[in-house]
Amino acid sequence: IGSPPLDPAEHFLPEEEKLPEQERSKRFEKVYTHNLYYLAQVYQHMEMFEKAAHYCHSTLKRQLEHNAYHPMEWAINAATLSQFYINKLGLVIFIIKSDIKKNGVHNENYSCDHWLTQVTLYLLATEAEGDVPELYHQRKGEIARCWIKYCLTLMQNAQLSMQDNIGELDLDKQSELRALRKKELDEEERVRKKAVQFGTGELCDAISAVEEKVSYLRPLDFEEARELFLTGQHYVFEAKEFFQIDGYVTDHIEVVQDHSALFKVLAFFETDMERRCKMHKRRIAMLEPLMVDLNPQYYLLVNRQIQFEIAHAYYDMMDLKVAIADKLRDPDSHIVKKINNLNKSALKYYQLFLDSLRDPNKVFPEHIGEDVLRPAMLAKFRVARLYGKIITADPKKELENLATSLEHYKFIVDYCEKHPEAAPEIEVELELSKEMVSLLPTKMERFRTKMALT
């Protein structure tokens, strides 16, 4: 009838105590916001996640419009929603920032949000939480972690779109994506005009200022990737201020792992092999100390993740050093020693990972669990390859290394024959292993004949 309905409590009040229309309207709007919130929960329980996210978004938007929110709680809810879109590879920037000082607490909250072929920017100007500084700094750290995931996901998505079948930068794909960049920008401008945004006027101006600092486009070269990397690294340092190893072991380790992953993706864009080596070396330097602090009995899964990641970093460094040596006419003994040391370190950590799969009697499982099947097979494959890459002047030792290499390749082939369901998990590695199982015995026989003659 053109005016808000009575609040339920008003039915029990005398006429003179009934609410003014403005307050009545405010309460009715709040009921509508709650209705959207409950719909979000219903759709979540029905596993209709896109609809649930839509209603979460609408709830947050209305809370902001009607000034009916707790800043810290609102920020965390928005940051949590952002993770849904990040996992869907929908990325947009969402910032929360205010430089208010209150009770000695310097407020600077950040988060990130989403786009999926559409671009929508959100901003919340928050206020100080001086009465709960511990909780405030925790929330600040949590939002920083969302920023890290945002930067990392965007960089990883760019890598996937530009790598060739061996994981290196494909220059043709890079050129194609450069050509598509203008089309992406035009589409972004078209969609932005239709997008639902949090606020207008000064709020949108503030958002635009932030948007210029942090890209939402996939980086296409090292310079663009480096800018995104530096943003992510800034939030790594911010997250680690709260999530320290003493008291927040799992959280701290995940932040460090994300930092390592940022370096790993940045190395993909780097063309200088020596600089790429240094990036992988930084990864190792931040990950190895974690092994000292972790009790494998209580942190088995995390230990495995770190062992595998360190092994892979050494593996990548070794490959790069071999590529550098191949360009030299006569690699000196120092380079050979460096390659062998990197090889040895990679073998050590892959073996630690594989040993963690053994039962209490130190027996390797006949059936590898689905959750560790691919990493276990990859570790076996890389151990096989590493033994084949050891540089030695001792023919007997080289023959031993080839035999060990063959043993690991054969393990992969035999396992996939006994467990056919494992084959799709390692298609490429399985084909290469079959090839090596076929070729290595002939190579070893020739080697034995040569040794007998000399």
Side-chain angles (χ1 to χ4, degrees), residues 312-335:
H312 198 32
Y314 276 121
Y315 183 89
D316 286 341
M317 280 184 75
M318 186 214 66
D319 263 353
L320 287 165
K321 289 294 183 185
V322 168
I324 292 167
D326 287 344
K327 292 183 178 181
L328 302 172
R329 287 185 180 179
D330 186 22
D332 58 28
S333 59
H334 174 74
I335 293 176

Side-chain angles (χ1 to χ4, degrees), residues 50-296:
E50 293 281 357
K51 274 201 165 187
H54 168 75
Y55 280 106
C56 282
H57 180 169
S58 300
T59 302
L60 290 168
K61 181 176 182 293
R62 284 182 60 83
Q63 285 179 328
L64 206 60
E65 287 173 346
H66 295 283
N67 198 29
Y69 65 94
H70 185 282
M72 191 188 297
E73 189 179 293
W74 193 99
I76 290 300
N77 289 337
T80 303
L81 178 62
S82 80
Q83 300 309 288
F84 168 79
Y85 288 102
I86 284 175
N87 289 333
K88 293 280 184 183
L89 289 182
L91 303 163
V92 113
I93 300 153
F94 168 48
I95 185 160
I96 309 164
K97 179 169 182 178
S98 176
D99 291 326
I100 304 166
K101 287 188 178 180
K102 186 176 181 183
N103 295 338
V105 177
H106 180 232
N107 283 277
E108 201 171 282
N109 271 357
Y110 302 90
S111 182
C112 58
D113 229 297
H114 59 281
W115 85 77
L116 189 57
T117 68
Q118 62 178 8
V119 177
T120 318
L121 283 155
Y122 311 127
L123 182 147
L124 168 66
T126 189
E127 62 184 34
E129 300 294 335
D131 53 332
V132 279
E134 180 73 10
L135 180 61
Y136 178 79
H137 286 298
Q138 180 180 345
R139 298 302 188 223
K140 181 180 174 182
E142 288 168 353
I143 293 174
R145 290 176 69 181
C146 293
W147 267 115
I148 298 165
K149 295 292 186 188
Y150 168 82
C151 296
L152 181 56
T153 305
L154 191 52
M155 290 175 72
Q156 288 173 334
N157 185 233
Q159 179 180 350
L160 286 171
S161 65
M162 285 192 285
Q163 68 184 13
D164 57 21
N165 58 358
I166 59 168
E168 292 296 319
L169 180 63
D170 186 318
L171 296 177
D172 291 335
K173 288 181 179 179
Q174 187 183 41
S175 298
E176 288 172 15
L177 288 170
R178 283 188 192 281
L180 286 170
R181 174 63 65 87
K182 186 178 184 302
K183 188 178 178 182
E184 284 183 352
L185 289 168
D186 291 343
E187 176 68 10
E188 181 268 331
E189 186 59 33
R190 185 186 70 79
V191 175
R192 182 192 297 278
K193 291 174 182 176
K194 296 181 180 180
V196 179
Q197 298 189 8
F198 286 149
T200 55
E202 289 182 10
L203 203 57
C204 282
D205 291 340
I207 291 169
S208 298
V210 172
E211 185 186 10
E212 292 172 6
K213 296 177 184 177
V214 188
S215 175
Y216 62 89
L217 295 170
R218 289 176 297 184
L220 299 182
D221 55 35
F222 178 78
E223 287 306 316
E224 289 182 3
R226 182 175 177 274
E227 287 299 313
L228 206 52
F229 166 83
L230 290 173
T231 300
Q233 183 169 252
H234 164 79
Y235 290 109
V236 165
F237 297 146
E238 191 167 282
K240 283 166 75 174
E241 285 179 15
F242 182 83
F243 296 109
Q244 298 183 15
I245 194 75
D246 294 331
Y248 295 94
V249 178
T250 307
D251 295 290
H252 178 86
I253 288 170
E254 188 179 333
V255 172
V256 174
Q257 285 178 303
D258 284 343
H259 196 189
S260 168
L262 284 168
F263 269 108
K264 183 180 179 181
V265 187
L266 184 63
F268 167 80
F269 290 91
E270 178 56 78
T271 54
D272 186 296
M273 290 187 183
E274 288 290 357
R275 287 175 63 182
R276 285 176 76 177
C277 278
K278 288 176 182 175
M279 290 176 193
H280 291 306
K281 193 174 181 180
R282 286 286 302 274
R283 293 173 59 207
I284 292 164
M286 65 178 70
L287 290 169
E288 279 192 324
L290 297 177
M291 300 295 295
V292 179
D293 298 316
L294 286 178
N295 184 330

